[in-house]
Amino acid sequence: MIRKKICLLGAFSVGKTSLVQRLVHSIFSERYQTTVGVRIEKKTLMLDGNDVSLVIWDLQGEDEFQKLRESYLRGSSGALLVADGTRPHTVDIAILLRDRLRDVCGNVPAELLINKADLTDEWAVDPRAVAALDGADSEPIVTSAKTGAGVEGAFESLARRILGGGA
Amino acid sequence: MGALPGFLEEYAMSIAVRRRSPAYVLLGPDARVVEAGGELARYGLRDLAVGDDVTARADFLAGMLPASDETIELPALTVGEGQHADVHIGVADGTTFVLLFDATARVMRQSALQQKGNDLDLLRGRTVRAAGPLPADHLVDAANVNLRRVAVVRVHLILVGEDEDEPVLDSTRVVETRRAQRLVREELRRQAGLTLETGAAEACAAFGLLSTTGVPERQAIDAARAVLAIVGLIPGVAACIGVASGAVAASEPTSDAVPIVIGPPFDHALRLALLVGPGCVLADDETVTHTQGLERDFVGWTGSQTGPGPLFVRRGNPPRHGELAGVLSALGVVLLEVRQDGILFPTGVVPDWADALLEWEGRASGGLRPADELSFLANFLVDAAEFWDRGEVGFQRSGIWTELDEGGENQAFEALALVGSGGERLLALDFLSEAYTERQELLQQARETRLSFEALQAEIQKKDVLLHCIVHDLKAPLSSIVGALSLLNTRELAPDKVASLLEIGLRQAQRQEDLIRQVLDVFAAEIRELESFESDPRRAPDLSQCLRDAVDSYRPAYQDADVELTLDATEGEMRVVGVADRLERAIANLLENALRYSPAGTRTEVAVENEDGHVRVTISDRGPGVDPEVAEKLFDRFVRGSAGGSSGLGLYYCRITLRSWGGSVGYEPRPGGGSVFWLRLVRAL
Ligand SMILES: Nc1nc2c(ncn2[C@@H]2O[C@H](COP(=O)(O)OP(=O)(O)OP(=O)(O)O)[C@@H](O)[C@H]2O)c(=O)[nH]1
Ligand SMILES: [Mg+2]
């Protein structure tokens, strides 16, 4: 079976852990429990008839209290860069983190996720504007760990790109 | 004001009886029931019988009887689970009466409002705090010192006896220790300006423990250094471990004999001291929880009977890592020696918890490997190898990581790369529990504070922009008024011109008044959201009437702007759930909005359609329509980048008002150009 390490990167409280919990255990909790260090989970996805086993590194949020250790990124085949759609500056952090990912891992696939899509009232990020500003190769994926919308798709899309199967 | 005419009084009574569910009790002397009636059950007095002692049945009457001539009224008394009543007690015609009216609905409403008020107060408090000194003092400083500004200094003086086999702690030693403490304390005051509190007397005697809390990290380190500097002067004290918990880990042996280890948590620091230190260790209950094994592995003396914890002393050579392994495993740490090929060899027993992280390399080699080539540990070994190759003293931490154990629980670990006294490459694996929780909690707190600060900042920003937009909205009609007035000020105007200028000025003034009302409406509506509305078809508002009134009042403004305004299909009554004046206001807001965007010479149509149990009002204009991107947010409290910097409060008002009646509002593009705004209301049936 093909096994790949992927990382979740992003500012604190954007929903990295929640996305993994949604994908792996199909659960969601409103309660915030910040991740210290790294949390590792595994999930097997069926992609076009093949099993792909993802080793998911859910990394601690980036802020002034905790900095990303670049050595954590080593050996990553790809990453999900997560931002919070209600906190625009988290998009900037996600983009900065992508540069650091590229420094360590080269040009591995990375999907930009804008999470918390269910919070329409507080939504403050325009995905199209982000795509334009970012000049990325793909549009950001809007997700909600709470409703599950877009979550599996985001991981699958990353897995496909890792396997070279196109977008 | 005269009394009500008889027929009206009767009517008023009937309403009171229907809505307030009265009940009464007439009492004789000694509070015995003479007669009772009305909706007694509602007040928990279901089977009140003649002759009963009423105070035994109704707690709220205790102490109120006998009644005085003056009737007393007790509003909103709690008379049962979730039941509230206005209670009147008095004497009429020589008979004591108790009259009860239901007040539950009123009390509930009040308490909901009060709740909302309290929430607002709390929020206000938080805003003040957030806008105040929070970021500078709390967050930034916390960041600088890595989580916590304050540190705990603990200084452990290690006493070594003259003779290896002789107990260290005898009476002379106690005196020595006390003297040492005093010296240390004085020295600290002189050098670092610190006042240290000593621990419990015995603890000090046994361990020479000095501690103080709430010291800034820098000072804590200085203090530990200061202690080191004088330790050598004290007879009988051979070594010292200074631990400043809460600070960043740093190992800085200042001399061969005296290591200093600064770092959280204490257990950890102690372990490091074991590894790099001179072989003298002192432990107490507070800091070392697993002590079996220590006694076995350390020759020397243990004094667990007299002090609060055991004391381990060892002299001579630094312990070899083979011996250390036993100590470490007692402390819950696995020590592995790493061979060149990356295979790990345990130097002691490998505890169960390590099974998840390590797997056997093979029977022949007897070595271990990280359990998964993509795992955290495998990844860290790459960094560790670099560290070992550099050949530096000290250690390298992996950082904390967590993995699910077999029971589905999250477990936290940390690894440490070290170099042994013989140059061995050592890997210590640590299973974290309290240390992890503590760090997690601190971080969590800091982040939650930061999040609420950010949220409040965003809210304040929004309010600022909103204020700007409101001012902008209010200014537009004012310019027209000023324009009209200045024209009037010029002489030689034809009388019809004067009249039309006055008309314009007046209308714009009214418009401004409307806008101000809109602003006030919104703020009131946010609080009023919980209030009741009319759904009884006999009293529910008539939509047809509301539409006619709103359209009539906007007709002149539309004429001014040369926009035609038509109203369709409103013959007959159409009762809907809501409140009449607020419904009219919502319609007016949509008319105002359509007018704002309608070019001269076009038409705006108001129409009504019946839907299953609902009514839909549409207001269609032939303006430029709304950009789909903006359309999603049209009814939000504040639309960023909305046209002309308008506050758009009118549409927000429609949304919250309609929502509170179970209705909705929306926008769709008009086929052929322009906008359709609609209101959907529940029919009162
Ligand atoms: N409404 C909503 N809330 C979400 C969503 N995803 C996460 N949250 C909430 O956001 C908070 C933070 O979620 P986490 O998953 O812990 O965020 P994280 O990025 O792992 O945070 P750190 O570990 O601190 O970096 C929690 O209170 C979650 O319940 C979402 O899609 N919608
Ligand atoms: Mg997390």
Side-chain angles (χ1 to χ4, degrees):
Chain A
M1 190 174 20
I2 311 162
R3 292 173 72 240
K4 297 286 175 187
K5 166 178 169 180
I6 63 166
C7 290
L8 270 86
L9 304 174
F12 73 94
S13 196
V14 295
K16 297 178 293 298
T17 304
S18 302
L19 287 164
V20 178
Q21 293 304 303
R22 163 61 68 190
L23 178 81
V24 178
H25 306 290
S26 307
I27 49 172
F28 174 77
S29 158
E30 293 282 350
R31 207 172 127 236
Y32 176 35
Q33 237 203 330
T34 194
T35 307
V36 178
V38 181
R39 192 181 152 118
I40 298 174
E41 299 252 16
K42 300 192 176 72
K43 168 80 179 179
T44 303
L45 293 181
M46 266 285 272
L47 278 190
D48 314 323
N50 297 317
D51 279 347
V52 187
S53 163
L54 296 180
V55 178
I56 305 168
W57 285 44
D58 169 14
L59 302 186
Q60 62 192 18
E62 168 88 359
D63 65 2
E64 71 266 52
F65 303 114
Q66 288 196 128
K67 288 275 171 255
L68 175 72
R69 283 184 192 223
E70 285 175 1
S71 65
Y72 288 171
L73 301 174
R74 192 188 302 118
S76 258
S77 302
L80 296 178
L81 302 151
V82 188
D84 176 344
T86 68
R87 289 153 66 212
H89 69 275
T90 60
V91 176
D92 304 337
I93 295 177
I95 291 172
L96 282 176
L97 287 169
R98 188 184 47 214
D99 295 342
R100 293 176 57 190
L101 172 76
R102 298 263 146 97
D103 287 348
V104 177
C105 302
N107 202 18
V108 296
E111 296 282 4
L112 180 57
L113 268 54
I114 306 186
N115 189 38
K116 308 201 185 177
D118 55 288
L119 296 176
T120 43
D121 274 6
E122 290 145 59
W123 195 257
V125 172
D126 178 358
R128 272 165 296 179
V130 171
L133 163 109
D134 183 25
D137 40 1
S138 63
E139 287 233 337
I141 304 176
V142 176
T143 58
S144 167
K146 183 169 179 174
T147 64
V151 177
E152 200 147 337
F155 281 90
E156 277 174 13
S157 158
L158 179 67
R160 281 220 165 75
R161 288 177 60 196
I162 290 173
L163 300 181
Chain B
M1 196 172 61
L4 290 178
F7 69 95
L8 262 189
E9 191 168 320
E10 208 168 292
Y11 175 68
M13 276 299 296
S14 76
I15 290 179
V17 169
R18 206 173 57 235
R19 300 221 180 134
R20 305 283 315 270
S21 312
Y24 74 97
V25 183
L26 302 183
L27 301 169
D30 63 29
R32 298 273 161 197
V33 176
V34 174
E35 189 185 320
E39 306 225 8
L40 286 164
R42 191 176 280 266
Y43 309 103
L45 299 171
R46 186 182 296 279
D47 334 293
L48 200 64
V50 172
D52 280 358
D53 175 2
V54 77
T55 51
R57 293 288 310 275
D59 291 340
F60 55 88
L61 290 177
M64 306 306 303
L65 299 171
S68 62
D69 282 345
E70 202 171 323
T71 304
I72 50 170
E73 187 182 340
L74 309 168
L77 219 60
T78 306
V79 295
E81 193 64 45
Q83 189 67 43
H84 306 272
D86 294 333
V87 180
H88 301 246
I89 304 167
V91 182
D93 293 341
T95 309
T96 302
F97 66 87
V98 178
L99 192 55
L100 300 127
F101 294 102
D102 190 9
T104 307
R106 194 185 73 228
V107 171
M108 301 297 263
R109 206 154 51 228
Q110 247 167 18
S111 98
L113 276 174
Q114 191 171 323
Q115 183 65 43
K116 194 126 185 162
N118 290 348
D119 289 350
L120 275 175
D121 269 359
L122 282 176
L123 190 66
R124 203 168 297 132
R126 263 186 273 152
T127 316
V128 169
R129 259 179 283 143
L134 184 67
D137 281 12
H138 178 74
L139 295 173
V140 178
D141 277 9
N144 283 345
V145 297
N146 193 10
L147 291 184
R148 203 149 54 159
R149 182 92 191 131
V150 294
V152 179
V153 186
R154 285 205 185 124
V155 180
H156 293 249
L157 303 178
I158 296 174
L159 309 169
V160 182
E162 294 300 313
D163 179 17
E164 225 174 282
D165 297 325
E166 191 185 300
V168 177
L169 194 68
D170 60 16
S171 56
T172 49
R173 289 284 160 233
V174 172
V175 174
E176 295 277 52
T177 316
R178 292 241 162 93
R179 212 168 68 78
Q181 276 175 14
R182 207 186 57 240
L183 268 170
V184 167
R185 205 177 311 144
E186 279 165 11
E187 193 60 23
L188 280 178
R189 193 175 305 130
R190 205 174 61 77
Q191 292 200 8
L194 284 181
T195 316
L196 290 188
E197 294 157 24
T198 51
E202 329 77 285
C204 292
F207 307 125
L209 174 85
L210 293 163
S211 73
T212 183
T213 50
V215 195
E217 179 202 13
R218 190 68 251 155
Q219 240 177 321
I221 294 170
D222 286 347
R225 289 229 173 85
V227 172
L228 288 176
I230 56 168
V231 159
L233 306 173
I234 304 168
V237 176
C240 161
I241 307 168
V243 178
S245 81
V248 198
S251 168
E252 195 179 344
T254 47
S255 78
D256 290 344
V258 186
I260 168 170
V261 182
I262 301 173
F266 184 73
D267 271 2
H268 217 102
L270 189 64
R271 286 171 210 152
L272 289 173
L274 276 167
L275 288 167
V276 299
C280 309
V281 150
L282 176 110
D284 60 42
D285 276 348
E286 193 192 348
T287 49
V288 180
T289 39
H290 311 281
T291 51
Q292 312 110 334
L294 279 175
E295 289 168 33
R296 199 182 54 235
D297 288 298
F298 274 83
V299 285
W301 180 88
T302 68
S304 53
Q305 307 316 314
T306 47
L311 171 73
F312 302 95
V313 178
R314 186 194 168 88
R315 297 174 68 198
N317 296 324
R320 288 179 307 280
H321 72 258
E323 291 172 34
L324 264 181
V327 180
L328 290 173
S329 75
L331 292 169
V333 177
V334 188
L335 193 68
L336 303 141
E337 189 174 340
V338 185
R339 302 276 166 81
Q340 219 61 43
D341 53 7
I343 300 179
L344 313 167
F345 290 90
T347 56
V349 186
V350 180
D352 291 346
W353 60 258
D355 285 354
L357 308 175
L358 300 167
E359 58 193 26
W360 284 105
E361 169 62 18
R363 198 175 288 277
S365 78
L368 298 158
R369 267 191 190 282
D372 186 326
E373 88 260 21
L374 293 178
S375 78
F376 189 90
L377 195 55
N379 187 60
F380 174 61
L381 279 177
V382 180
D383 298 316
E386 276 170 24
F387 164 76
W388 287 317
D389 287 342
R390 282 200 301 273
E392 288 164 21
V393 282
F395 56 89
Q396 172 141 346
R397 282 167 183 275
S398 71
I400 298 170
W401 85 98
T402 60
E403 283 185 64
L404 287 182
D405 67 8
E406 269 158 23
E409 294 285 314
N410 248 301
Q411 304 295 2
F413 306 95
E414 184 163 25
L416 219 70
L418 307 144
V419 179
S421 49
E424 306 89 345
R425 300 174 158 214
L426 299 177
L427 183 74
L429 270 182
D430 196 356
F431 175 74
L432 308 171
S433 51
E434 289 106 65
Y436 173 76
T437 321
E438 186 186 338
R439 195 178 160 80
Q440 209 271 339
E441 277 168 6
L442 276 169
L443 203 58
Q444 174 109 15
Q445 262 172 25
R447 289 183 158 171
E448 276 170 3
T449 317
R450 156 83 356 135
L451 277 178
S452 53
F453 176 67
E454 276 175 14
L456 284 165
Q457 236 176 2
E459 187 66 20
I460 290 169
Q461 238 169 34
K462 255 203 240 170
K463 288 245 160 76
D464 285 352
V465 183
L466 183 65
L467 193 65
H468 173 88
C469 291
I470 290 173
V471 170
H472 176 99
D473 279 3
L474 292 177
K475 246 181 100 178
L478 194 59
S479 330
S480 308
I481 297 169
V482 171
L485 288 176
S486 343
L487 279 176
L488 281 173
N489 206 18
T490 54
R491 260 160 259 160
E492 293 144 29
L493 282 176
D496 60 333
K497 184 73 183 161
V498 171
S500 106
L501 283 174
L502 277 174
E503 181 73 26
I504 290 173
L506 198 61
R507 224 168 266 156
Q508 293 298 333
Q510 266 158 3
R511 205 169 140 222
Q512 195 176 40
E513 199 185 357
D514 277 351
L515 286 169
I516 291 171
R517 207 177 44 194
Q518 242 178 45
V519 172
L520 295 177
D521 280 349
V522 162
F523 289 110
E526 284 189 341
I527 293 176
R528 240 180 1 208
E529 246 183 308
L530 334 121
E531 263 184 31
S532 57
F533 46 79
E534 210 42 86
S535 55
D536 181 333
R538 278 167 301 177
R539 287 178 299 270
D542 174 11
L543 176 63
S544 307
Q545 188 62 48
C546 290
L547 282 169
R548 278 194 298 272
D549 290 348
V551 165
D552 284 348
S553 72
Y554 265 86
R555 205 152 253 138
Y558 272 75
Q559 273 161 9
D560 271 0
D562 190 20
V563 178
E564 194 186 341
L565 179 60
T566 65
L567 174 59
D568 205 22
T570 52
E571 65 292 343
E573 274 192 355
M574 200 176 289
R575 299 287 175 179
V576 292
V577 173
V579 177
D581 62 336
R582 276 187 260 153
L583 176 56
E584 207 181 308
R585 192 71 46 76
I587 298 165
N589 286 350
L590 293 183
L591 290 175
E592 162 85 31
N593 192 64
L595 177 60
R596 196 194 290 243
Y597 295 104
S598 288
T602 61
R603 179 160 25 121
T604 296
E605 292 150 344
V606 181
V608 185
E609 299 155 33
N610 263 307
E611 284 176 357
D612 194 24
H614 288 80
V615 193
R616 205 169 112 113
V617 178
T618 54
I619 292 162
S620 321
D621 66 46
R622 284 166 179 70
V626 180
D627 194 336
E629 216 167 294
V630 179
E632 287 168 25
K633 307 197 145 231
L634 263 180
F635 298 91
D636 287 358
R637 178 171 180 152
F638 167 63
V639 186
R640 218 184 285 233
S642 60
S646 160
S647 60
L649 277 178
L651 295 180
Y652 172 66
Y653 175 81
C654 292
R655 188 183 107 188
I656 54 173
T657 308
L658 272 276
R659 193 175 56 189
S660 73
W661 300 334
S664 52
V665 297
Y667 162 83
E668 56 204 37
R670 181 179 168 278
S675 305
V676 178
F677 282 87
W678 52 263
L679 299 174
R680 193 157 182 268
L681 290 145
V682 180
R683 297 203 65 153
L685 295 170

